[in-house]
Amino acid sequence: MPVTRLPQSRRCLRTLALNSRQRQWTADQDINWNQDIVRPNWLLRRFHGAMISQFRHGELITIKICRHLLDVVTEPGVKELLIQQIADEERHAEVYRRYLEKLGDAAPLDPSLAHAVERIIQWQGSYLGLIVAVHVLLEGEALRTLQDLSDEMPCPLFSQMNKLIVRDEARHVAFGKVYLRQRLANLGLDERMAIYRFVKLLWCESTGGMFLEFRITGIVTQSLRRRWVNEGWLQHRRSLTDIGLLNAQDMARA
Ligand SMILES: [Fe+2]
Ligand SMILES: [Fe+2]
């Protein structure tokens, strides 16, 4: 398959792999587990548990799809990045598990997220669609949420975990974007449109249904939720244009 702009993107991927090797951390050595959990007044304890649980489930979903991608991609440098990412996600899942062990109130996978996972697994189009769904949408959304929470959560234990996890997630999103920018340039418009429709549906179905059992006045009101969903989609649309999936004109027709 012809590859455009390979030298530059390969350099970027090498830098990311090097960065990953140099910035390793462990749950035991880099996090002080003796710290207490501090819960802000606005956060119900049950919602706290449900939110951290969904982060953990998101990590497990990402591991599953990265393992599948390992069987599909052929470039050794990309395989190395996926192997590094799986190790990162396993560490994140373990950190969230330990935090939940202290907090209690672990929750099962949210039904709307479970539905999104089913849809991702059943995707029959180009494997690039999986990378768009996981690295740009799912991880991009996790990064957006974690960055917002870093200002809102006064919990020192969460802050310590969050800083380390955000650093890894930013690298995973960067990997997806660099790789997709290079690969999507070789994909026809019909396939790119199909990927766009796929991720848009994932976004609408999963964000519309998350945490619906929680009604917290002033925090998870319908209007606030709507604004969060709309702002998020605008941000993700910019990323989708940036990686060369579709321009605004084609998005309007998709
Ligand atoms: Fe992660
Ligand atoms: Fe990640």
Side-chain angles (χ1 to χ4, degrees), residues 59 89 92 139 169 172:
E59 301 291 352
E89 311 298 16
H92 301 169
E139 299 211 277
E169 297 304 355
H172 303 159

Side-chain angles (χ1 to χ4, degrees), residues 9 80 137 143 149 194 197 217:
S9 59
E80 185 193 351
L137 192 72
L143 193 54
L149 280 175
R197 286 193 289 266
T217 311

Side-chain angles (χ1 to χ4, degrees), residues 144-195:
R144 180 172 85 106
T145 311
L146 292 174
Q147 282 168 337
D148 277 5
L149 280 175
S150 66
D151 298 330
E152 305 292 337
M153 288 276 282
C155 175
L157 176 56
F158 182 81
S159 298
Q160 202 172 31
M161 293 160 43
N162 199 29
K163 258 186 212 138
L164 295 163
I165 292 175
V166 160
R167 196 172 75 191
D168 290 344
E169 297 304 355
R171 195 172 56 245
H172 303 159
V173 172
F175 152 62
K177 287 184 175 176
V178 169
Y179 184 67
L180 287 166
R181 235 174 252 134
Q182 167 209 325
R183 284 292 181 183
L184 287 172
N186 300 314
L187 212 62
L189 179 61
D190 285 351
E191 276 190 282
R192 285 184 284 115
M193 281 223 178
I195 292 174

